[in-house]
mmCIF file of all heavy atoms in Angstrom:
data_model
loop_
_atom_site.group_PDB
_atom_site.id
_atom_site.type_symbol
_atom_site.label_atom_id
_atom_site.label_comp_id
_atom_site.label_asym_id
_atom_site.label_seq_id
_atom_site.Cartn_x
_atom_site.Cartn_y
_atom_site.Cartn_z
ATOM 1 N N MET M 17 0.823 -1.226 -0.014
ATOM 2 C CA MET M 17 0.007 -0.005 0.001
ATOM 3 C C MET M 17 0.867 1.248 -0.025
ATOM 4 O O MET M 17 0.576 2.195 -0.722
ATOM 5 C CB MET M 17 -0.921 -0.022 1.209
ATOM 6 C CG MET M 17 -2.022 0.971 1.219
ATOM 7 S SD MET M 17 -3.184 0.500 -0.020
ATOM 8 C CE MET M 17 -4.506 1.593 0.394
ATOM 9 N N LYS M 18 1.894 1.244 0.821
ATOM 10 C CA LYS M 18 2.787 2.411 0.900
ATOM 11 C C LYS M 18 3.562 2.601 -0.402
ATOM 12 O O LYS M 18 3.714 3.741 -0.852
ATOM 13 C CB LYS M 18 3.756 2.244 2.074
ATOM 14 C CG LYS M 18 4.480 3.501 2.447
ATOM 15 C CD LYS M 18 5.281 3.308 3.707
ATOM 16 C CE LYS M 18 5.963 4.616 4.076
ATOM 17 N NZ LYS M 18 6.743 4.494 5.321
ATOM 18 N N VAL M 19 3.965 1.532 -1.016
ATOM 19 C CA VAL M 19 4.727 1.607 -2.266
ATOM 20 C C VAL M 19 3.795 2.155 -3.373
ATOM 21 O O VAL M 19 4.202 2.956 -4.201
ATOM 22 C CB VAL M 19 5.274 0.190 -2.665
ATOM 23 C CG1 VAL M 19 5.879 0.223 -4.032
ATOM 24 C CG2 VAL M 19 6.259 -0.285 -1.633
ATOM 25 N N LYS M 20 2.537 1.755 -3.331
ATOM 26 C CA LYS M 20 1.563 2.235 -4.336
ATOM 27 C C LYS M 20 1.356 3.784 -4.202
ATOM 28 O O LYS M 20 1.314 4.457 -5.231
ATOM 29 C CB LYS M 20 0.244 1.504 -4.167
ATOM 30 C CG LYS M 20 -0.786 1.832 -5.210
ATOM 31 C CD LYS M 20 -2.061 1.019 -5.023
ATOM 32 C CE LYS M 20 -3.077 1.351 -6.030
ATOM 33 N NZ LYS M 20 -4.325 0.594 -5.804
ATOM 34 N N ARG M 21 1.278 4.260 -3.010
ATOM 35 C CA ARG M 21 1.139 5.734 -2.780
ATOM 36 C C ARG M 21 2.356 6.461 -3.285
ATOM 37 O O ARG M 21 2.241 7.536 -3.866
ATOM 38 C CB ARG M 21 0.933 5.974 -1.301
ATOM 39 C CG ARG M 21 -0.445 5.652 -0.806
ATOM 40 C CD ARG M 21 -0.576 6.114 0.628
ATOM 41 N NE ARG M 21 -1.880 5.722 1.161
ATOM 42 C CZ ARG M 21 -2.280 5.865 2.422
ATOM 43 N NH1 ARG M 21 -1.387 6.409 3.314
ATOM 44 N NH2 ARG M 21 -3.451 5.561 2.793
ATOM 45 N N ILE M 22 3.520 5.940 -2.996
ATOM 46 C CA ILE M 22 4.757 6.534 -3.446
ATOM 47 C C ILE M 22 4.817 6.640 -4.962
ATOM 48 O O ILE M 22 5.182 7.584 -5.553
ATOM 49 C CB ILE M 22 5.985 5.892 -2.823
ATOM 50 C CG1 ILE M 22 5.997 6.101 -1.325
ATOM 51 C CG2 ILE M 22 7.264 6.405 -3.449
ATOM 52 C CD1 ILE M 22 7.060 5.255 -0.574
ATOM 53 N N ALA M 23 4.436 5.506 -5.619
ATOM 54 C CA ALA M 23 4.465 5.433 -7.054
ATOM 55 C C ALA M 23 3.491 6.434 -7.676
ATOM 56 O O ALA M 23 3.830 7.105 -8.636
ATOM 57 C CB ALA M 23 4.120 3.992 -7.535
ATOM 58 N N ILE M 24 2.302 6.520 -7.104
ATOM 59 C CA ILE M 24 1.306 7.478 -7.611
ATOM 60 C C ILE M 24 1.832 8.915 -7.384
ATOM 61 O O ILE M 24 1.669 9.721 -8.283
ATOM 62 C CB ILE M 24 -0.091 7.276 -6.889
ATOM 63 C CG1 ILE M 24 -0.684 5.950 -7.335
ATOM 64 C CG2 ILE M 24 -1.008 8.425 -7.185
ATOM 65 C CD1 ILE M 24 -1.910 5.556 -6.576
ATOM 66 N N TYR M 25 2.468 9.176 -6.286
ATOM 67 C CA TYR M 25 3.005 10.482 -6.002
ATOM 68 C C TYR M 25 4.069 10.850 -7.019
ATOM 69 O O TYR M 25 4.060 11.961 -7.586
ATOM 70 C CB TYR M 25 3.599 10.526 -4.577
ATOM 71 C CG TYR M 25 4.270 11.767 -4.229
ATOM 72 C CD1 TYR M 25 3.511 12.910 -3.886
ATOM 73 C CD2 TYR M 25 5.656 11.889 -4.219
ATOM 74 C CE1 TYR M 25 4.161 14.084 -3.527
ATOM 75 C CE2 TYR M 25 6.287 13.062 -3.880
ATOM 76 C CZ TYR M 25 5.547 14.169 -3.545
ATOM 77 O OH TYR M 25 6.163 15.317 -3.213
ATOM 78 N N ILE M 26 4.947 9.946 -7.295
ATOM 79 C CA ILE M 26 6.023 10.168 -8.295
ATOM 80 C C ILE M 26 5.457 10.395 -9.682
ATOM 81 O O ILE M 26 5.856 11.342 -10.375
ATOM 82 C CB ILE M 26 7.014 9.032 -8.275
ATOM 83 C CG1 ILE M 26 7.801 9.057 -6.948
ATOM 84 C CG2 ILE M 26 8.001 9.161 -9.419
ATOM 85 C CD1 ILE M 26 8.665 7.871 -6.701
ATOM 86 N N ILE M 27 4.497 9.551 -10.078
ATOM 87 C CA ILE M 27 3.919 9.668 -11.390
ATOM 88 C C ILE M 27 3.173 11.002 -11.595
ATOM 89 O O ILE M 27 3.325 11.655 -12.602
ATOM 90 C CB ILE M 27 2.969 8.443 -11.700
ATOM 91 C CG1 ILE M 27 3.840 7.188 -11.819
ATOM 92 C CG2 ILE M 27 2.131 8.705 -12.951
ATOM 93 C CD1 ILE M 27 3.045 5.924 -11.845
ATOM 94 N N THR M 28 2.427 11.385 -10.561
ATOM 95 C CA THR M 28 1.694 12.661 -10.699
ATOM 96 C C THR M 28 2.628 13.870 -10.724
ATOM 97 O O THR M 28 2.434 14.805 -11.464
ATOM 98 C CB THR M 28 0.703 12.840 -9.536
ATOM 99 O OG1 THR M 28 1.339 12.699 -8.285
ATOM 100 C CG2 THR M 28 -0.427 11.822 -9.643
ATOM 101 N N ASN M 29 3.716 13.782 -9.972
ATOM 102 C CA ASN M 29 4.720 14.873 -10.023
ATOM 103 C C ASN M 29 5.361 14.968 -11.357
ATOM 104 O O ASN M 29 5.579 16.083 -11.882
ATOM 105 C CB ASN M 29 5.782 14.703 -8.926
ATOM 106 C CG ASN M 29 5.243 15.161 -7.582
ATOM 107 O OD1 ASN M 29 4.334 16.002 -7.507
ATOM 108 N ND2 ASN M 29 5.782 14.693 -6.535
ATOM 109 N N ILE M 30 5.724 13.859 -11.947
ATOM 110 C CA ILE M 30 6.308 13.850 -13.281
ATOM 111 C C ILE M 30 5.358 14.393 -14.302
ATOM 112 O O ILE M 30 5.714 15.207 -15.152
ATOM 113 C CB ILE M 30 6.836 12.436 -13.647
ATOM 114 C CG1 ILE M 30 8.004 12.049 -12.744
ATOM 115 C CG2 ILE M 30 7.206 12.355 -15.149
ATOM 116 C CD1 ILE M 30 8.427 10.586 -12.898
ATOM 117 N N ALA M 31 4.059 13.978 -14.205
ATOM 118 C CA ALA M 31 3.030 14.466 -15.138
ATOM 119 C C ALA M 31 2.863 15.997 -15.014
ATOM 120 O O ALA M 31 2.759 16.694 -16.011
ATOM 121 C CB ALA M 31 1.761 13.715 -14.908
ATOM 122 N N LEU M 32 2.795 16.463 -13.774
ATOM 123 C CA LEU M 32 2.637 17.899 -13.595
ATOM 124 C C LEU M 32 3.869 18.674 -14.089
ATOM 125 O O LEU M 32 3.731 19.767 -14.685
ATOM 126 C CB LEU M 32 2.399 18.222 -12.080
ATOM 127 C CG LEU M 32 1.085 17.793 -11.539
ATOM 128 C CD1 LEU M 32 1.083 17.988 -10.021
ATOM 129 C CD2 LEU M 32 -0.024 18.582 -12.197
ATOM 130 N N PHE M 33 5.034 18.115 -13.949
ATOM 131 C CA PHE M 33 6.272 18.774 -14.424
ATOM 132 C C PHE M 33 6.239 18.867 -15.952
ATOM 133 O O PHE M 33 6.557 19.894 -16.507
ATOM 134 C CB PHE M 33 7.493 17.962 -13.981
ATOM 135 C CG PHE M 33 8.803 18.512 -14.501
ATOM 136 C CD1 PHE M 33 9.293 19.657 -13.935
ATOM 137 C CD2 PHE M 33 9.504 17.869 -15.499
ATOM 138 C CE1 PHE M 33 10.502 20.186 -14.451
ATOM 139 C CE2 PHE M 33 10.668 18.378 -15.992
ATOM 140 C CZ PHE M 33 11.163 19.558 -15.451
ATOM 141 N N ILE M 34 5.819 17.752 -16.602
ATOM 142 C CA ILE M 34 5.725 17.797 -18.075
ATOM 143 C C ILE M 34 4.683 18.812 -18.575
ATOM 144 O O ILE M 34 4.962 19.549 -19.497
ATOM 145 C CB ILE M 34 5.390 16.347 -18.602
ATOM 146 C CG1 ILE M 34 6.590 15.413 -18.351
ATOM 147 C CG2 ILE M 34 5.009 16.394 -20.068
ATOM 148 C CD1 ILE M 34 6.298 13.982 -18.583
ATOM 149 N N ILE M 35 3.562 18.830 -17.880
ATOM 150 C CA ILE M 35 2.533 19.803 -18.252
ATOM 151 C C ILE M 35 3.046 21.225 -18.087
ATOM 152 O O ILE M 35 2.834 22.105 -18.942
ATOM 153 C CB ILE M 35 1.262 19.557 -17.448
ATOM 154 C CG1 ILE M 35 0.606 18.257 -17.913
ATOM 155 C CG2 ILE M 35 0.268 20.720 -17.623
ATOM 156 C CD1 ILE M 35 -0.500 17.806 -16.983
ATOM 157 N N ALA M 36 3.729 21.493 -16.988
ATOM 158 C CA ALA M 36 4.276 22.781 -16.770
ATOM 159 C C ALA M 36 5.327 23.196 -17.788
ATOM 160 O O ALA M 36 5.388 24.341 -18.260
ATOM 161 C CB ALA M 36 4.870 22.891 -15.341
ATOM 162 N N CYS M 37 6.139 22.235 -18.204
ATOM 163 C CA CYS M 37 7.204 22.503 -19.206
ATOM 164 C C CYS M 37 6.585 22.828 -20.574
ATOM 165 O O CYS M 37 7.181 23.530 -21.364
ATOM 166 C CB CYS M 37 8.130 21.298 -19.349
ATOM 167 S SG CYS M 37 9.239 21.124 -17.957
ATOM 168 N N ILE M 38 5.377 22.339 -20.789
ATOM 169 C CA ILE M 38 4.751 22.590 -22.094
ATOM 170 C C ILE M 38 3.964 23.909 -22.058
ATOM 171 O O ILE M 38 4.021 24.739 -22.964
ATOM 172 C CB ILE M 38 3.819 21.455 -22.495
ATOM 173 C CG1 ILE M 38 4.680 20.165 -22.797
ATOM 174 C CG2 ILE M 38 2.944 21.768 -23.671
ATOM 175 C CD1 ILE M 38 3.859 18.915 -22.948
ATOM 176 N N THR M 39 3.214 24.132 -21.007
ATOM 177 C CA THR M 39 2.256 25.278 -20.916
ATOM 178 C C THR M 39 2.985 26.601 -20.584
ATOM 179 O O THR M 39 2.591 27.618 -21.141
ATOM 180 C CB THR M 39 1.142 25.030 -19.950
ATOM 181 O OG1 THR M 39 1.690 24.762 -18.649
ATOM 182 C CG2 THR M 39 0.270 23.885 -20.379
ATOM 183 N N ILE M 40 3.925 26.589 -19.702
ATOM 184 C CA ILE M 40 4.549 27.838 -19.279
ATOM 185 C C ILE M 40 5.237 28.586 -20.440
ATOM 186 O O ILE M 40 5.035 29.776 -20.600
ATOM 187 C CB ILE M 40 5.532 27.597 -18.112
ATOM 188 C CG1 ILE M 40 4.703 27.289 -16.854
ATOM 189 C CG2 ILE M 40 6.412 28.784 -17.816
ATOM 190 C CD1 ILE M 40 5.511 26.907 -15.620
ATOM 191 N N PRO M 41 6.034 27.895 -21.316
ATOM 192 C CA PRO M 41 6.580 28.639 -22.421
ATOM 193 C C PRO M 41 5.568 29.202 -23.355
ATOM 194 O O PRO M 41 5.731 30.323 -23.864
ATOM 195 C CB PRO M 41 7.454 27.575 -23.119
ATOM 196 C CG PRO M 41 7.815 26.595 -22.095
ATOM 197 C CD PRO M 41 6.603 26.559 -21.183
ATOM 198 N N LYS M 42 4.477 28.478 -23.566
ATOM 199 C CA LYS M 42 3.419 28.993 -24.461
ATOM 200 C C LYS M 42 2.763 30.251 -23.852
ATOM 201 O O LYS M 42 2.516 31.254 -24.548
ATOM 202 C CB LYS M 42 2.341 27.948 -24.686
ATOM 203 C CG LYS M 42 2.758 26.833 -25.596
ATOM 204 C CD LYS M 42 1.651 25.846 -25.848
ATOM 205 C CE LYS M 42 2.136 24.688 -26.705
ATOM 206 N NZ LYS M 42 1.028 23.730 -26.953
ATOM 207 N N LEU M 43 2.519 30.201 -22.541
ATOM 208 C CA LEU M 43 1.920 31.391 -21.884
ATOM 209 C C LEU M 43 2.874 32.548 -21.890
ATOM 210 O O LEU M 43 2.503 33.675 -22.073
ATOM 211 C CB LEU M 43 1.552 31.008 -20.457
ATOM 212 C CG LEU M 43 0.389 30.038 -20.297
ATOM 213 C CD1 LEU M 43 0.233 29.693 -18.794
ATOM 214 C CD2 LEU M 43 -0.872 30.602 -20.823
ATOM 215 N N MET M 44 4.156 32.288 -21.716
ATOM 216 C CA MET M 44 5.141 33.396 -21.695
ATOM 217 C C MET M 44 5.257 34.014 -23.066
ATOM 218 O O MET M 44 5.404 35.254 -23.145
ATOM 219 C CB MET M 44 6.530 32.867 -21.265
ATOM 220 C CG MET M 44 6.594 32.457 -19.806
ATOM 221 S SD MET M 44 6.091 33.758 -18.690
ATOM 222 C CE MET M 44 7.418 34.888 -18.893
ATOM 223 N N LYS M 45 5.154 33.269 -24.185
ATOM 224 C CA LYS M 45 5.200 33.848 -25.499
ATOM 225 C C LYS M 45 4.022 34.805 -25.672
ATOM 226 O O LYS M 45 4.169 35.891 -26.203
ATOM 227 C CB LYS M 45 5.092 32.742 -26.564
ATOM 228 C CG LYS M 45 6.376 32.085 -26.858
ATOM 229 C CD LYS M 45 6.214 31.070 -28.012
ATOM 230 C CE LYS M 45 7.476 30.393 -28.355
ATOM 231 N NZ LYS M 45 7.299 29.451 -29.436
ATOM 232 N N LYS M 46 2.814 34.342 -25.270
ATOM 233 C CA LYS M 46 1.626 35.180 -25.419
ATOM 234 C C LYS M 46 1.754 36.427 -24.582
ATOM 235 O O LYS M 46 1.438 37.543 -25.037
ATOM 236 C CB LYS M 46 0.380 34.424 -24.977
ATOM 237 C CG LYS M 46 -0.030 33.355 -25.998
ATOM 238 C CD LYS M 46 -1.266 32.645 -25.520
ATOM 239 C CE LYS M 46 -1.665 31.526 -26.461
ATOM 240 N NZ LYS M 46 -2.856 30.793 -26.032
ATOM 241 N N LEU M 47 2.250 36.290 -23.364
ATOM 242 C CA LEU M 47 2.339 37.433 -22.437
ATOM 243 C C LEU M 47 3.353 38.451 -22.968
ATOM 244 O O LEU M 47 3.079 39.656 -22.977
ATOM 245 C CB LEU M 47 2.759 36.954 -21.051
ATOM 246 C CG LEU M 47 2.879 38.005 -19.973
ATOM 247 C CD1 LEU M 47 1.527 38.692 -19.711
ATOM 248 C CD2 LEU M 47 3.410 37.424 -18.704
ATOM 249 N N THR M 48 4.522 37.978 -23.372
ATOM 250 C CA THR M 48 5.542 38.913 -23.816
ATOM 251 C C THR M 48 5.099 39.571 -25.132
ATOM 252 O O THR M 48 5.402 40.754 -25.335
ATOM 253 C CB THR M 48 6.882 38.240 -24.053
ATOM 254 O OG1 THR M 48 6.702 37.126 -24.887
ATOM 255 C CG2 THR M 48 7.478 37.782 -22.718
ATOM 256 N N GLY M 49 4.382 38.860 -25.985
ATOM 257 C CA GLY M 49 3.853 39.462 -27.212
ATOM 258 C C GLY M 49 2.878 40.591 -26.935
ATOM 259 O O GLY M 49 2.935 41.659 -27.539
ATOM 260 N N LYS M 50 1.996 40.360 -25.960
ATOM 261 C CA LYS M 50 1.033 41.407 -25.599
ATOM 262 C C LYS M 50 1.723 42.582 -24.974
ATOM 263 O O LYS M 50 1.408 43.744 -25.259
ATOM 264 C CB LYS M 50 0.013 40.802 -24.620
ATOM 265 C CG LYS M 50 -0.985 39.876 -25.262
ATOM 266 C CD LYS M 50 -1.976 39.344 -24.264
ATOM 267 C CE LYS M 50 -2.983 38.375 -24.937
ATOM 268 N NZ LYS M 50 -3.920 37.851 -24.017
ATOM 269 N N LEU M 51 2.699 42.350 -24.098
ATOM 270 C CA LEU M 51 3.440 43.472 -23.465
ATOM 271 C C LEU M 51 4.167 44.250 -24.528
ATOM 272 O O LEU M 51 4.256 45.467 -24.475
ATOM 273 C CB LEU M 51 4.365 42.939 -22.407
ATOM 274 C CG LEU M 51 3.713 42.415 -21.153
ATOM 275 C CD1 LEU M 51 4.768 41.772 -20.212
ATOM 276 C CD2 LEU M 51 2.993 43.518 -20.415
ATOM 277 N N TYR M 52 4.788 43.575 -25.472
ATOM 278 C CA TYR M 52 5.552 44.245 -26.550
ATOM 279 C C TYR M 52 4.631 45.158 -27.360
ATOM 280 O O TYR M 52 4.947 46.329 -27.624
ATOM 281 C CB TYR M 52 6.223 43.175 -27.426
ATOM 282 C CG TYR M 52 7.003 43.772 -28.557
ATOM 283 C CD1 TYR M 52 8.223 44.384 -28.346
ATOM 284 C CD2 TYR M 52 6.537 43.665 -29.848
ATOM 285 C CE1 TYR M 52 8.947 44.915 -29.371
ATOM 286 C CE2 TYR M 52 7.244 44.202 -30.909
ATOM 287 C CZ TYR M 52 8.460 44.825 -30.668
ATOM 288 O OH TYR M 52 9.197 45.311 -31.704
ATOM 289 N N LYS M 53 3.479 44.592 -27.768
ATOM 290 C CA LYS M 53 2.523 45.396 -28.526
ATOM 291 C C LYS M 53 2.026 46.585 -27.730
ATOM 292 O O LYS M 53 1.849 47.715 -28.264
ATOM 293 C CB LYS M 53 1.340 44.521 -28.939
ATOM 294 C CG LYS M 53 1.703 43.530 -30.049
ATOM 295 C CD LYS M 53 0.486 42.706 -30.378
ATOM 296 C CE LYS M 53 0.846 41.648 -31.408
ATOM 297 N NZ LYS M 53 -0.294 40.763 -31.702
ATOM 298 N N LYS M 54 1.770 46.380 -26.431
ATOM 299 C CA LYS M 54 1.286 47.436 -25.587
ATOM 300 C C LYS M 54 2.313 48.577 -25.510
ATOM 301 O O LYS M 54 2.001 49.793 -25.565
ATOM 302 C CB LYS M 54 0.980 46.944 -24.213
ATOM 303 C CG LYS M 54 0.259 47.848 -23.285
ATOM 304 C CD LYS M 54 -0.090 47.181 -21.996
ATOM 305 C CE LYS M 54 -0.850 48.070 -21.077
ATOM 306 N NZ LYS M 54 -1.209 47.433 -19.811
ATOM 307 N N ASN M 55 3.593 48.208 -25.300
ATOM 308 C CA ASN M 55 4.649 49.208 -25.262
ATOM 309 C C ASN M 55 4.847 49.966 -26.575
ATOM 310 O O ASN M 55 5.083 51.177 -26.542
ATOM 311 C CB ASN M 55 5.996 48.568 -24.820
ATOM 312 C CG ASN M 55 5.983 48.193 -23.333
ATOM 313 O OD1 ASN M 55 5.292 48.817 -22.548
ATOM 314 N ND2 ASN M 55 6.747 47.205 -22.982
ATOM 315 N N ILE M 56 4.688 49.319 -27.672
ATOM 316 C CA ILE M 56 4.817 49.970 -28.971
ATOM 317 C C ILE M 56 3.660 50.968 -29.141
ATOM 318 O O ILE M 56 3.894 52.101 -29.583
ATOM 319 C CB ILE M 56 4.799 48.911 -30.120
ATOM 320 C CG1 ILE M 56 6.173 48.154 -30.119
ATOM 321 C CG2 ILE M 56 4.566 49.585 -31.440
ATOM 322 C CD1 ILE M 56 6.243 47.089 -31.154
ATOM 323 N N LYS M 57 2.506 50.617 -28.700
ATOM 324 C CA LYS M 57 1.317 51.515 -28.841
ATOM 325 C C LYS M 57 1.603 52.765 -27.955
ATOM 326 O O LYS M 57 1.307 53.860 -28.376
ATOM 327 C CB LYS M 57 0.043 50.841 -28.423
ATOM 328 C CG LYS M 57 -0.446 49.869 -29.390
ATOM 329 C CD LYS M 57 -1.755 49.217 -28.975
ATOM 330 C CE LYS M 57 -2.244 48.187 -29.955
ATOM 331 N NZ LYS M 57 -3.466 47.524 -29.503
ATOM 332 N N LYS M 58 2.141 52.586 -26.789
ATOM 333 C CA LYS M 58 2.426 53.699 -25.898
ATOM 334 C C LYS M 58 3.478 54.650 -26.556
ATOM 335 O O LYS M 58 3.340 55.851 -26.536
ATOM 336 C CB LYS M 58 2.962 53.232 -24.557
ATOM 337 C CG LYS M 58 1.931 52.746 -23.602
ATOM 338 C CD LYS M 58 2.494 52.355 -22.271
ATOM 339 C CE LYS M 58 1.492 51.817 -21.347
ATOM 340 N NZ LYS M 58 2.111 51.463 -20.055
ATOM 341 N N LYS M 59 4.528 54.059 -27.113
ATOM 342 C CA LYS M 59 5.549 54.865 -27.754
ATOM 343 C C LYS M 59 4.998 55.641 -28.933
ATOM 344 O O LYS M 59 5.327 56.790 -29.165
ATOM 345 C CB LYS M 59 6.714 53.982 -28.213
ATOM 346 C CG LYS M 59 7.551 53.458 -27.066
ATOM 347 C CD LYS M 59 8.708 52.611 -27.540
ATOM 348 C CE LYS M 59 9.545 52.092 -26.393
ATOM 349 N NZ LYS M 59 10.653 51.271 -26.846
ATOM 350 N N ASN M 60 4.098 54.949 -29.718
ATOM 351 C CA ASN M 60 3.537 55.643 -30.853
ATOM 352 C C ASN M 60 2.631 56.800 -30.412
ATOM 353 O O ASN M 60 2.617 57.868 -31.053
ATOM 354 C CB ASN M 60 2.730 54.673 -31.695
ATOM 355 C CG ASN M 60 3.655 53.744 -32.527
ATOM 356 O OD1 ASN M 60 4.801 54.081 -32.783
ATOM 357 N ND2 ASN M 60 3.114 52.596 -32.908
ATOM 358 N N LYS M 61 1.920 56.660 -29.360
ATOM 359 C CA LYS M 61 1.057 57.731 -28.825
ATOM 360 C C LYS M 61 1.912 58.878 -28.354
ATOM 361 O O LYS M 61 1.601 60.027 -28.613
ATOM 362 C CB LYS M 61 0.225 57.201 -27.670
ATOM 363 C CG LYS M 61 -0.964 56.366 -28.101
ATOM 364 C CD LYS M 61 -1.815 55.920 -26.939
ATOM 365 C CE LYS M 61 -2.965 55.049 -27.400
ATOM 366 N NZ LYS M 61 -3.785 54.630 -26.228
ATOM 367 N N LYS M 62 3.028 58.631 -27.738
ATOM 368 C CA LYS M 62 3.904 59.683 -27.252
ATOM 369 C C LYS M 62 4.519 60.428 -28.432
ATOM 370 O O LYS M 62 4.585 61.645 -28.411
ATOM 371 C CB LYS M 62 5.016 59.138 -26.361
ATOM 372 C CG LYS M 62 4.539 58.683 -24.993
ATOM 373 C CD LYS M 62 5.714 58.197 -24.168
ATOM 374 C CE LYS M 62 5.228 57.718 -22.796
ATOM 375 N NZ LYS M 62 6.328 57.204 -21.976
ATOM 376 N N LYS M 63 4.902 59.702 -29.440
ATOM 377 C CA LYS M 63 5.488 60.356 -30.643
ATOM 378 C C LYS M 63 4.442 61.219 -31.371
ATOM 379 O O LYS M 63 4.782 62.316 -31.777
ATOM 380 C CB LYS M 63 6.006 59.301 -31.627
ATOM 381 C CG LYS M 63 7.300 58.657 -31.194
ATOM 382 C CD LYS M 63 7.780 57.657 -32.243
ATOM 383 C CE LYS M 63 9.039 56.996 -31.824
ATOM 384 N NZ LYS M 63 9.525 55.999 -32.767
ATOM 385 N N ASN M 64 3.208 60.710 -31.448
ATOM 386 C CA ASN M 64 2.198 61.486 -32.052
ATOM 387 C C ASN M 64 1.823 62.761 -31.283
ATOM 388 O O ASN M 64 1.534 63.792 -31.876
ATOM 389 C CB ASN M 64 0.893 60.600 -32.271
ATOM 390 C CG ASN M 64 1.108 59.598 -33.354
ATOM 391 O OD1 ASN M 64 1.955 59.737 -34.222
ATOM 392 N ND2 ASN M 64 0.315 58.530 -33.286
ATOM 393 N N LYS M 65 1.877 62.674 -29.954
ATOM 394 C CA LYS M 65 1.571 63.850 -29.161
ATOM 395 C C LYS M 65 2.650 64.910 -29.321
ATOM 396 O O LYS M 65 2.398 66.095 -29.319
ATOM 397 C CB LYS M 65 1.480 63.466 -27.684
ATOM 398 C CG LYS M 65 0.163 62.777 -27.326
ATOM 399 C CD LYS M 65 0.073 62.473 -25.828
ATOM 400 C CE LYS M 65 -1.193 61.740 -25.490
ATOM 401 N NZ LYS M 65 -1.234 61.397 -24.109
ATOM 402 N N LYS M 66 3.898 64.510 -29.457
ATOM 403 C CA LYS M 66 4.988 65.438 -29.599
ATOM 404 C C LYS M 66 4.945 66.138 -30.959
ATOM 405 O O LYS M 66 5.267 67.320 -31.069
ATOM 406 C CB LYS M 66 6.352 64.718 -29.465
ATOM 407 C CG LYS M 66 6.678 64.274 -28.078
ATOM 408 C CD LYS M 66 8.018 63.604 -28.007
ATOM 409 C CE LYS M 66 8.307 63.169 -26.563
ATOM 410 N NZ LYS M 66 9.617 62.462 -26.521
ATOM 411 N N ARG M 67 4.467 65.455 -31.990
ATOM 412 C CA ARG M 67 4.415 66.088 -33.315
ATOM 413 C C ARG M 67 3.291 67.057 -33.465
ATOM 414 O O ARG M 67 3.358 68.034 -34.184
ATOM 415 C CB ARG M 67 4.295 64.941 -34.347
ATOM 416 C CG ARG M 67 5.508 64.151 -34.521
ATOM 417 C CD ARG M 67 5.360 63.089 -35.571
ATOM 418 N NE ARG M 67 6.541 62.218 -35.600
ATOM 419 C CZ ARG M 67 6.557 61.068 -36.238
ATOM 420 N NH1 ARG M 67 5.575 60.677 -36.948
ATOM 421 N NH2 ARG M 67 7.691 60.392 -36.248
ATOM 422 N N CYS M 68 2.189 66.792 -32.783
ATOM 423 C CA CYS M 68 1.032 67.674 -32.846
ATOM 424 C C CYS M 68 1.303 68.945 -32.005
ATOM 425 O O CYS M 68 1.636 68.852 -30.836
ATOM 426 C CB CYS M 68 -0.235 66.960 -32.420
ATOM 427 S SG CYS M 68 -0.687 65.617 -33.458
ATOM 428 N N TYR M 69 1.103 70.070 -32.579
ATOM 429 C CA TYR M 69 1.311 71.333 -31.857
ATOM 430 C C TYR M 69 0.031 71.955 -31.482
ATOM 431 O O TYR M 69 -0.896 72.207 -32.074
ATOM 432 C CB TYR M 69 2.164 72.316 -32.689
ATOM 433 C CG TYR M 69 3.540 71.780 -32.919
ATOM 434 C CD1 TYR M 69 3.934 71.287 -34.175
ATOM 435 C CD2 TYR M 69 4.477 71.700 -31.893
ATOM 436 C CE1 TYR M 69 5.217 70.801 -34.381
ATOM 437 C CE2 TYR M 69 5.734 71.182 -32.034
ATOM 438 C CZ TYR M 69 6.103 70.744 -33.325
ATOM 439 O OH TYR M 69 7.361 70.237 -33.530
#
């Protein structure tokens, strides 16, 4: 019984690690892309305000 619990614990930890290794990079790509676009929009707004008199 104790060996079965340990085996289940190890298997679930490995599965969670694999899921995290797959999902975290995908989420980071989306997040950094959104932040990059947001910063570009801010810079463009600042440039447009400076040009308008």
